[in-house]
Amino acid sequence: MKHKVWYITGASKGLGLSLVKKLLEQGYKVAATSRSISDLEKAAGKRSENFLPLAVDILNEQSVEQSIQDTLSHFGQLDVVVNNAGYGLAGALEELSDKEARANFDVNVFGTLNVIRHAMPHLRQQQAGHIFNIASIGGFAGGFPGFGIYCATKFAVHGLTESLAHEIEAFHVKATVVMPGYFRTNFLTSGSLSTPQQEIAAYKTVREVQDAHTNQYNGNQQGDPEKAAEVMIAVAEQDNPPIHLFLGPDAYQFAEAKMDVVKTDMEAVKTLATATSFS
């Protein structure tokens, strides 16, 4: 497995950086992207035989395509793609502007699609490969006041990954949606979590949740990103990797609670809701 080449977006910090470092430690070849090549090289190291740092704008298809070509030129192959680039957005649905909401979708969803669109021709041709799309437990359980748009982007990543997995299985390419819980990265800092330009005072619950995330949870998350990276590497080595990868005991707790609620809601109206066929 260690001869395979990994391509990771959003690799200058957070889970992406932990994954890059862990892979290089274990002897894998890694192409890593960031908007800033200097930030990436400072965090992960300079270009070498096994490491290719790349400055990429994932919203620019030409930039993405060029990075894929550079990866192939440097390593001669591409095997595992990790769509990790993204950022958080806090704020009630009413108070977030159209521009703020669309910008979050552009990076978290359409940036991911840009990478998939340009990586798949190579994976499909070689009849092998694996795509990891990093979502969030907030892409499965949406009960987080003030994170509606962010959750919506990650629900989108979840849904498109499920479809992708079935679209590409004929080419022997795998797809996995990764849903981490709270991990101790810089995700809850100002550089990775945006807030509304126009807050509405009435949303006291949203402000409380927002404050808890930035001032209480931040720096105290129980999840170890290095262990998360190890899990992803292990899953990539499996012959039949899962489509759904929940990361962390808290992610499992949120997911199980969500499934319980769904089952309860279904049963509550089952007789009524299933009496919809033509008589």
Side-chain angles (χ1 to χ4, degrees):
M1 180 66 182
K2 293 186 179 180
H3 72 280
K4 291 191 175 182
V5 175
W6 288 62
Y7 172 99
I8 304 167
T9 67
S12 64
K13 56 187 177 181
L15 178 58
L17 178 59
S18 295
L19 183 57
V20 168
K21 289 182 175 180
K22 188 65 63 175
L23 287 164
L24 291 174
E25 287 174 5
Q26 296 185 16
Y28 291 91
K29 295 178 173 64
V30 181
T33 84
S34 175
R35 287 173 296 176
S36 170
I37 190 71
S38 60
D39 288 348
L40 180 57
E41 289 180 337
K42 184 178 179 180
K46 299 287 187 177
R47 175 172 173 159
S48 66
E49 182 179 353
N50 283 358
F51 181 55
L52 178 65
L54 298 164
V56 177
D57 176 3
I58 63 170
L59 301 185
N60 184 311
E61 287 209 60
Q62 291 182 332
S63 179
V64 171
E65 183 177 21
Q66 185 61 56
S67 71
I68 297 292
Q69 293 298 333
D70 290 343
T71 300
L72 292 167
S73 296
H74 188 75
F75 294 118
Q77 64 190 73
L78 172 62
D79 303 288
V80 183
V81 174
V82 181
N83 283 302
N84 174 69
Y87 70 95
L89 178 62
L93 295 175
E94 181 186 351
E95 62 188 356
L96 288 168
S97 68
D98 179 76
K99 182 179 180 180
E100 289 171 317
R102 288 179 183 272
N104 203 215
F105 269 90
D106 280 343
V107 174
N108 292 2
V109 180
F110 291 102
T112 292
L113 289 171
N114 285 341
V115 173
I116 292 171
R117 193 176 297 116
H118 291 288
M120 266 309 302
H122 306 284
L123 303 182
R124 176 163 48 82
Q125 183 178 15
Q126 71 188 16
Q127 295 282 296
H130 196 158
I131 297 174
F132 286 93
N133 293 327
I134 309 300
S136 164
I137 188 56
F140 184 79
F144 298 94
F147 286 88
I149 292 298
Y150 175 73
C151 286
T153 68
K154 295 305 185 178
F155 265 77
V157 171
H158 187 153
L160 70 86
T161 306
E162 288 187 348
S163 291
L164 177 68
H166 295 287
E167 290 174 357
I168 64 181
E169 62 182 346
F171 311 118
H172 307 289
V173 181
K174 309 295 184 180
T176 297
V177 56
V178 183
M179 290 163 284
Y182 289 96
F183 279 82
R184 198 171 300 178
T185 68
N186 53 5
F187 177 74
L188 295 178
T189 62
S190 59
S192 297
L193 180 65
S194 294
T195 55
Q197 292 184 357
Q198 300 293 332
E199 294 183 350
I200 298 174
Y203 282 102
K204 294 181 180 179
T205 299
V206 169
R207 295 288 84 77
E208 290 171 358
V209 171
Q210 185 177 320
D211 179 73
H213 278 77
T214 56
N215 296 315
Q216 298 176 33
Y217 299 172
N218 187 34
N220 296 309
Q221 302 96 321
Q222 291 302 302
D224 182 343
E226 291 195 8
K227 292 182 178 179
E230 291 174 352
V231 172
M232 290 182 61
I233 295 170
V235 169
E237 295 176 348
Q238 295 178 350
D239 292 332
N240 295 297
I243 295 176
H244 308 91
L245 175 58
F246 293 94
L247 275 180
D250 55 345
Y252 267 75
Q253 291 167 5
F254 281 121
E256 289 165 353
K258 163 68 179 286
M259 288 186 281
D260 287 342
V261 169
V262 170
K263 290 178 181 178
T264 298
D265 288 347
M266 290 176 68
E267 288 300 320
V269 294
K270 183 175 182 180
T271 301
L272 177 65
T274 57
T276 53
S277 302
F278 285 105
S279 300

